[in-house]
């Protein structure tokens, strides 16, 4: 029996109507698929990083903050967003058990050398239970099937920073940093028992500076940082399986009975996955030894990733208290306001649902040579319907 799949989204088999031709297909790419990589016990702080596990997602110049050889690992748990997109599509992490980040630093006089791994993009769109119809039962057989779309991008990084102490004043320091990334992308689309896979490697980089200045007439420390992250652009061959018996019904109401047949071919089209460039800047001010204020901002260049998307501005701030020499805690906010202009969708509805404001609470504890980092970020109270979720992150590091 030939099966007819009546679905309202683009997925693997929808793009197979170009039988015999090689074309390009953009994977679904949404803001909430970006991993909030630099979340730590300080909040969302990326320009003056003090979390060893976050080095590959932060200002490479902030390697200067690590005075001893160190290594760390983190895990991040993110609740699902349901709904997460148009049509009540659910969004969650495709690979929730993977470590979120790993980092290691080795100091050598004014030089710092680091290696790191970090999730850049981790997204699964779940289209839910879809009814099965046949030619004999056009209104449904009572059976259902599922469809999902998964995208994962992980960055493998080498980092270098070099510092210039007392460059302008006795108590200042300038650090320059450079980071090289080898990014791995894996894409998997499933619809019933059919699937399409793609994967490959691309390079990217980050470059930045960090300036630290200690006041001479009044206790206090000021750190200001700036860095640019170059995103990756993947174009990889998509390989498909088990599409021989799939037939797609045209959803156009003016031609509701037209059917399109799809057959397996070894080389059909390329999948395109992009991660955006980011421009980051911010500072930490410590008016006294036990109290610190952090303010960070960045621009995410989504207009180079998907047509119709505007560049997104994001802001974060934190208040950090040193409770003792071995413990500190923080409270913070992070806001993201992505915008879209696309005549195919209700842009106003999408923009309202995509707004996000997170509140954060973090705790950092040091015991002997070990450091433990915990943070909770929640966006349920002040965000749009598609961005309400909770993030829990824990990390452990050791000074060698």
């Amino acid at each position: 029996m030939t099966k007819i799949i009546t679905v309202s989204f683009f997925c693997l088999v929808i793009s197979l109507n170009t039988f015999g031709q090689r074309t390009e297909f953009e994977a679904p790419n949404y803001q909430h698929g970006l991993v909030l990589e630099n979340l730590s016990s300080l909040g969302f702080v990326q320009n003056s990083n003090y979390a060893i596990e976050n080095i590959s997602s932060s200002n490479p110049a902030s390697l200067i903050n690590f005075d001893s050889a160190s290594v760390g690992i983190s895990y991040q748990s993110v609740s699902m967003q349901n709904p997460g997109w148009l049509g009540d599509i659910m969004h969650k992490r495709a690979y929730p058990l993977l470590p979120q980040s790993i980092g290691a630093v080795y100091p050598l006089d004014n030089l710092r050398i680091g290696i790191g791994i970090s999730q850049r993009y981790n997204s699964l769109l779940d289209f839910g239970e879809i009814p099965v119809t046949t030619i004999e039962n056009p209104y449904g057989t009572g059976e259902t099937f599922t469809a999902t779309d998964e995208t994962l991008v992980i960055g493998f990084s080498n980092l270098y920073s070099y510092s210039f102490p007392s460059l302008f004043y006795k108590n200042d320091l300038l650090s320059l940093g450079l980071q090289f990334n080898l990014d791995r992308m894996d894409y998997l689309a499933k619809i019933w028992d059919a699937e399409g896979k793609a994967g490959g490697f691309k390079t990217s980089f980050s470059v930045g500076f960090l300036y630290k200045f200690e006041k001479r007439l009044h206790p206090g420390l000021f750190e200001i940082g700036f860095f640019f992250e170059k995103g990756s652009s993947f174009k990889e061959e998509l390989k498909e399986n088990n599409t021989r018996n799939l037939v797609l019904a045209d959803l156009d109401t003016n031609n509701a009975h037209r059917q399109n047949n799809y057959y397996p071919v070894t080389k059909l089209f390329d999948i395109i996955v992009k991660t955006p460039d980011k421009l980051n800047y911010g500072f930490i001010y410590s008016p006294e030894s036990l109290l610190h204020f952090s303010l960070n901002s960045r621009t995410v260049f989504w207009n180079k990733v998907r047509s119709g998307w505007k560049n997104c501005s994001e802001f974060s701030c934190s208040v950090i208290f040193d409770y003792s020499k071995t413990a500190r805690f923080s409270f913070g906010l992070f806001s993201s306001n992505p915008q879209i202009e696309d005549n195919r969708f209700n842009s106003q509805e999408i923009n309202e649902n995509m707004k996000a404001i997170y509140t954060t609470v973090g705790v950092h504890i040091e015991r002997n040579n070990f450091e433990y980092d915990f943070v909770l970020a929640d966006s349920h109270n002040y965000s749009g319907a598609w961005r309400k979720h909770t993030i829990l992150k824990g990390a452990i590091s050791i000074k060698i």
Side-chain angles (χ1 to χ4, degrees):
M1 178 187 301
T2 302
K3 294 174 178 166
I4 302 175
I5 299 175
T6 55
V7 294
S8 60
F9 58 89
F10 66 94
C11 197
L12 168 65
V13 296
I14 290 183
S15 295
L16 299 186
N17 55 11
T18 56
F19 171 70
Q21 299 178 1
R22 188 172 183 84
T23 60
E24 297 177 353
F25 168 59
E26 290 189 11
N29 198 328
Y30 305 118
Q31 277 86 346
H32 39 322
L34 279 181
V35 178
L36 298 176
E37 303 174 67
N38 42 53
L39 179 62
S40 72
S41 62
L42 299 181
F44 290 93
V45 178
Q46 65 266 24
N47 289 283
S48 299
N49 177 47
Y50 285 87
I52 183 66
E53 63 278 357
N54 284 356
I55 59 171
S56 59
S57 58
S58 306
N59 188 346
S62 64
L63 286 181
I64 196 62
N65 291 328
F66 302 97
D67 295 325
S68 60
S70 305
V71 61
I73 185 172
S74 75
Y75 283 86
Q76 189 178 105
S77 175
V78 183
S79 63
M80 67 180 63
Q81 293 146 292
N82 193 9
W85 191 242
L86 293 168
D88 293 334
I89 298 172
M90 183 180 70
H91 182 275
K92 60 181 180 180
R93 296 299 184 216
Y95 303 92
L97 299 181
L98 287 177
Q100 194 263 301
S101 61
I102 300 173
V105 171
Y106 182 77
L108 187 62
D109 295 328
N110 293 338
L111 177 68
R112 300 291 187 274
I113 302 173
I115 58 174
I117 303 173
S118 184
Q119 296 181 32
R120 308 292 190 205
Y121 191 89
N122 190 339
S123 174
L124 185 149
L125 295 176
D126 189 338
F127 299 93
E129 295 289 331
I130 301 169
V132 176
T133 63
T134 67
I135 295 176
E136 294 82 3
N137 298 282
Y139 298 103
T141 65
E143 301 174 279
T144 61
F145 67 96
T146 60
T148 58
D149 192 295
E150 304 175 9
T151 307
L152 176 68
V153 179
I154 295 180
F156 302 86
S157 308
N158 285 329
L159 304 93
Y160 307 90
S161 75
Y162 193 87
S163 61
F164 302 87
S166 303
L167 185 63
F168 303 109
Y169 300 97
K170 181 179 179 180
N171 297 319
D172 75 346
L173 181 146
L174 175 67
S175 175
L176 303 179
L178 186 62
Q179 175 175 329
F180 302 97
N181 305 314
L182 180 63
D183 298 328
R184 169 70 190 185
M185 182 276 293
D186 286 284
Y187 174 80
L188 174 63
K190 293 183 178 179
I191 180 169
W192 210 332
D193 59 350
E195 64 179 30
K197 295 182 179 180
F201 291 91
K202 293 295 180 182
T203 59
S204 60
F205 68 91
S206 297
V207 59
F209 77 87
L210 180 70
Y211 182 69
K212 304 174 71 170
F213 175 67
E214 186 175 357
K215 291 183 178 180
R216 290 175 292 175
L217 301 179
H218 185 277
L221 180 68
F222 184 79
E223 298 182 32
I224 184 170
F226 174 95
F227 74 107
F228 172 75
E229 302 174 77
K230 179 63 178 177
S232 296
S233 181
F234 299 90
K235 181 180 178 182
E236 305 294 337
E237 176 188 330
L238 188 110
K239 299 177 181 178
E240 51 80 23
N241 294 301
N242 302 323
T243 61
R244 182 177 299 277
N245 295 324
L246 296 179
V247 179
L248 180 67
D250 194 326
L251 297 180
D252 188 344
T253 55
N254 295 325
N255 191 7
H257 299 292
R258 191 183 73 187
Q259 299 173 15
N260 300 310
N261 290 276
Y262 305 107
Y263 303 94
V265 290
T266 57
K267 236 180 177 183
L268 196 61
F269 58 91
D270 294 319
I271 189 76
I272 295 176
V273 174
K274 298 179 180 179
T275 58
D277 300 342
K278 303 172 190 174
L279 188 62
N280 306 265
Y281 38 93
F283 66 87
I284 291 180
Y285 174 57
S286 304
E288 57 183 62
S289 59
L290 302 181
L291 180 64
H292 319 275
F293 298 99
S294 170
L295 180 64
N296 290 263
S297 177
R298 73 178 179 187
T299 301
V300 185
F301 294 94
W302 281 103
N303 66 346
K304 296 183 179 180
V305 174
R306 296 194 69 86
S307 61
W309 288 104
K310 291 183 176 182
N311 294 338
C312 175
S313 296
E314 299 179 342
F315 300 92
S316 63
C317 61
S318 297
V319 180
I320 304 143
F321 302 91
D322 291 334
Y323 180 75
S324 67
K325 292 183 178 180
T326 60
R328 68 169 181 248
F329 59 93
S330 73
F331 302 95
L333 293 173
F334 172 77
S335 68
S336 176
N337 186 25
Q339 298 286 306
I340 184 175
E341 286 184 350
D342 197 322
N343 295 329
R344 297 172 299 173
F345 305 107
N346 184 340
S347 297
Q348 183 176 357
E349 176 190 0
I350 291 176
N351 294 338
E352 283 296 321
N353 287 329
M354 288 293 291
K355 291 180 180 178
I357 299 178
Y358 295 82
T359 55
T360 67
V361 179
V363 178
H364 182 87
I365 300 173
E366 298 181 20
R367 289 290 185 270
N368 298 321
N369 290 330
F370 288 90
E371 298 186 11
Y372 307 92
D373 209 80
F374 305 97
V375 61
L376 167 68
D378 187 84
S379 61
H380 281 88
N381 292 331
Y382 309 107
S383 301
W386 301 344
R387 300 295 296 275
K388 295 180 181 292
H389 66 297
T390 302
I391 302 174
L392 287 171
K393 184 176 180 179
I396 183 172
S397 61
I398 182 173
K399 295 180 180 179
I400 303 173

